[in-house]
Amino acid sequence: MTHFKTAAAAIALMAALAAPLSAQAHRQWILPSSTVLSGTDAWIGIDGGISNQVFVADHNAMRFDNVKVTAPDGSTVAPENLMQGKYRSTFDVHLTQPGTYKIANASSGVMATWSLNGTPGRWRGQAADLAANVPAGATDVVSAPFASRIETFATLGEPTTTVFQPTGVGIELVPVTHPTDVVAGEAATFQLIRDNNPLADAEVTIARGGIRYRDNPEEMTVKTDAEGKFTVTWPEAGMYWINTAWRAGGPAPEGMGRGGPPVASASYVAVFEVLP
């Protein structure tokens, strides 16, 4: 009975710890109500979700514990009217400075696995806390860094570029075409970097919202060049989801999935509004 309880507890613990990882198989997004505004004072609403289809709130609400709104002058703007529901979370942003704002939900740290008396263990957190969270006597300890970034942009008046200064952590977007200057039928170019280096030969998935009301998913896949740049010609107006991911050593071997030992990884999501 004791052995059964121990095994059951281990299975429950692994399932609980694996939950955030399995959620990454779904599509995460931050959807702004508007990205191009005029005047000297405006509000936008932000929805955040983790779903089976982009912008369809059908799985889990996004937790905004790490959300940060950066104003055109580099200062931080506090989200207002924050609410978390069953399938989506929301908050408002008050735009009072002219220029471009960045709304980002980013996290980074390390993942670790080990074995303790034949029972596997797993932990996820900040690198500085790793040693204190690996139990004494653990063997086969493997750790690796991760970084996740989900973001969108909004501009009040004329676009600015201050918010695109890279942080050097994980995958980030450097605009060649400004995100608020994207128009249907026209090509736009962006650069992706990882830890401040070009993210070359990466697959970038681009999907238009509104799939609930059409049969064709209308997804596109493009690759970055040696400088980490990719170009997309927007087929029509709408909200677009852009995603790429990187994993050390390439995709996991078949059968290993996310249950194997951790390896260094990073992911990036952006949402752009393409205007007619």
Side-chain angles (χ1 to χ4, degrees):
M1 179 64 77
T2 300
H3 174 74
F4 173 78
K5 286 182 176 178
T6 302
I11 292 171
L13 176 62
M14 289 299 294
L17 292 174
L21 301 179
S22 61
Q24 293 178 9
H26 292 86
R27 298 192 159 184
Q28 305 182 59
W29 40 268
I30 292 176
L31 182 66
S33 58
S34 182
T35 63
V36 181
L37 304 105
S38 60
T40 59
D41 186 292
W43 290 80
I44 60 171
I46 301 292
D47 286 1
I50 303 168
S51 61
N52 295 301
Q53 300 175 343
V54 294
F55 313 142
V56 178
D58 61 3
H59 182 66
N60 271 331
M62 177 177 290
R63 295 182 64 89
F64 280 136
D65 298 344
N66 298 313
V67 73
K68 180 179 180 181
V69 180
T70 306
D73 66 356
S75 62
T76 299
V77 178
E80 300 191 37
N81 306 317
L82 184 63
M83 186 278 291
Q84 180 174 327
K86 173 65 176 175
Y87 292 133
R88 68 185 177 95
S89 300
T90 67
F91 64 86
D92 297 322
V93 180
H94 191 188
L95 288 67
T96 58
Q97 298 178 23
T100 299
Y101 291 69
K102 176 167 68 177
I103 302 95
N105 200 24
S107 63
S108 61
V110 297
M111 297 177 288
T113 60
W114 60 81
S115 177
L116 180 63
N117 299 324
T119 300
R122 182 182 291 267
W123 178 82
R124 178 185 174 103
Q126 296 303 305
D129 301 327
L130 174 61
N133 284 278
V134 176
T139 60
D140 302 321
V141 179
V142 179
S143 65
F146 71 90
S148 170
R149 174 172 291 274
I150 306 159
E151 62 187 15
T152 191
F153 310 93
T155 296
L156 179 67
E158 294 296 319
T160 57
T161 59
T162 308
V163 297
F164 299 108
Q165 181 64 37
T167 66
V169 178
I171 301 175
E172 297 176 275
L173 182 136
V174 178
V176 177
T177 303
H178 198 286
T180 52
D181 285 338
V182 292
V183 178
E186 296 185 3
T189 299
F190 309 96
Q191 182 187 34
L192 292 173
I193 58 175
R194 183 181 66 80
D195 299 343
N196 273 339
N197 297 305
L199 183 65
D201 200 33
E203 286 194 350
V204 181
T205 301
I206 302 162
R208 185 169 68 88
I211 190 173
R212 180 189 291 272
Y213 309 108
R214 64 178 190 273
D215 293 328
N216 187 347
E218 298 182 11
E219 287 194 12
M220 300 179 285
T221 301
V222 297
K223 275 200 168 187
T224 59
D225 62 16
E227 296 181 335
K229 294 180 179 177
F230 68 95
T231 297
V232 54
T233 299
W234 312 99
E236 56 184 283
M239 289 288 188
Y240 282 80
W241 181 83
I242 296 174
N243 171 237
T244 192
W246 172 87
R247 177 188 169 95
E254 187 171 354
M256 289 291 290
R258 297 181 183 276
V263 297
S265 63
S267 63
Y268 179 81
V269 171
V271 172
F272 288 173
E273 182 180 26
V274 177
L275 297 175

